[in-house]
Amino acid sequence: MKTYFISALVCLMSVMSWGQVEEGYEDTLKKMFEVSGTEAAYQSTIKQMVGMYKSQKSDVPADAWDSLEKEFLAMSLNDLTKMLVPVYSKHLTKNDLEKLIAFYQTEVGTKFANSTPAIMQESMQVGQQWGMELGKRFNEKMSEQGY
């Protein structure tokens, strides 16, 4: 009975500690999103989404769209950050985030953050080209082998 109780207690403590995140982690993650350019990317996504809805509902006044966009920019980023805390905290400590923030506040970190959207866009184009070439080669090899 004593062994069962101790085992149950250890399991309970490990489950409780697994779900806990360091104090201030969410704020630190939010700061990292800000300095890394991630926040700007999320804001751009929200603005694109509002623009899409705006084009579908042309009868809604412009000031209503402005108000909705402002509200969703504030609310959605906070919600998304809360939702991402468990993901990031599995892989990075608060100290890791603080070091990333320090990096992104350097000259090269700022340059990297500012260049990332263009790098990602160009990389996607290169990746598509690479994938097409890979597929072509794969089909050629399969044909050579009679498949």
Side-chain angles (χ1 to χ4, degrees), residues 5 9 11 18-19 25 31 33 39 43 48 65 67 75 77 103 109 130 143:
F5 178 73
L9 185 61
C11 286
W18 179 71
Y25 192 93
K31 176 70 174 175
F33 285 162
E39 181 180 42
Q43 288 177 343
Q48 287 175 353
W65 287 117
S67 175
M75 180 184 67
L77 250 42
F103 165 72
W130 174 77
S143 291

Side-chain angles (χ1 to χ4, degrees), residues 19-31:
Q20 293 178 345
V21 177
E22 294 172 78
E23 186 174 330
Y25 192 93
E26 184 177 328
D27 291 335
T28 306
L29 181 60
K30 196 170 189 175
K31 176 70 174 175

Side-chain angles (χ1 to χ4, degrees), residues 13-143:
M13 289 174 64
S14 66
V15 168
M16 288 173 59
S17 65
W18 179 71
Q20 293 178 345
V21 177
E22 294 172 78
E23 186 174 330
Y25 192 93
E26 184 177 328
D27 291 335
T28 306
L29 181 60
K30 196 170 189 175
K31 176 70 174 175
M32 195 275 293
F33 285 162
E34 178 188 319
V35 298
S36 69
T38 304
E39 181 180 42
Y42 290 149
Q43 288 177 343
S44 176
T45 301
I46 291 168
K47 288 179 181 186
Q48 287 175 353
M49 197 171 78
V50 169
M52 184 179 70
Y53 282 111
K54 194 176 185 178
S55 68
Q56 294 173 359
K57 300 191 177 278
S58 57
D59 57 323
V60 177
D63 60 331
W65 287 117
D66 293 342
S67 175
L68 280 170
E69 184 177 293
K70 187 183 271 187
E71 179 182 341
F72 275 85
L73 283 171
M75 180 184 67
S76 296
L77 250 42
N78 290 334
D79 292 345
L80 183 59
T81 301
K82 281 182 190 349
M83 292 169 71
L84 288 172
V85 164
V87 175
Y88 276 79
S89 65
K90 272 197 299 192
H91 305 283
L92 299 169
T93 65
K94 183 179 173 192
N95 187 44
D96 294 333
L97 294 178
E98 289 166 346
K99 289 177 181 179
L100 284 169
I101 291 167
F103 165 72
Y104 280 113
Q105 290 177 326
T106 66
E107 185 178 336
V108 71
T110 302
K111 181 178 181 178
F112 180 69
N114 292 335
S115 301
T116 297
I119 290 169
M120 292 299 291
Q121 184 177 16
E122 292 172 37
S123 294
M124 284 175 32
Q125 292 170 352
V126 169
Q128 287 174 343
Q129 183 181 358
W130 174 77
M132 287 175 20
E133 183 62 32
L134 197 60
K136 181 180 166 189
R137 287 185 195 166
F138 183 80
N139 286 329
E140 288 171 359
K141 291 289 182 183
M142 294 296 287
S143 291

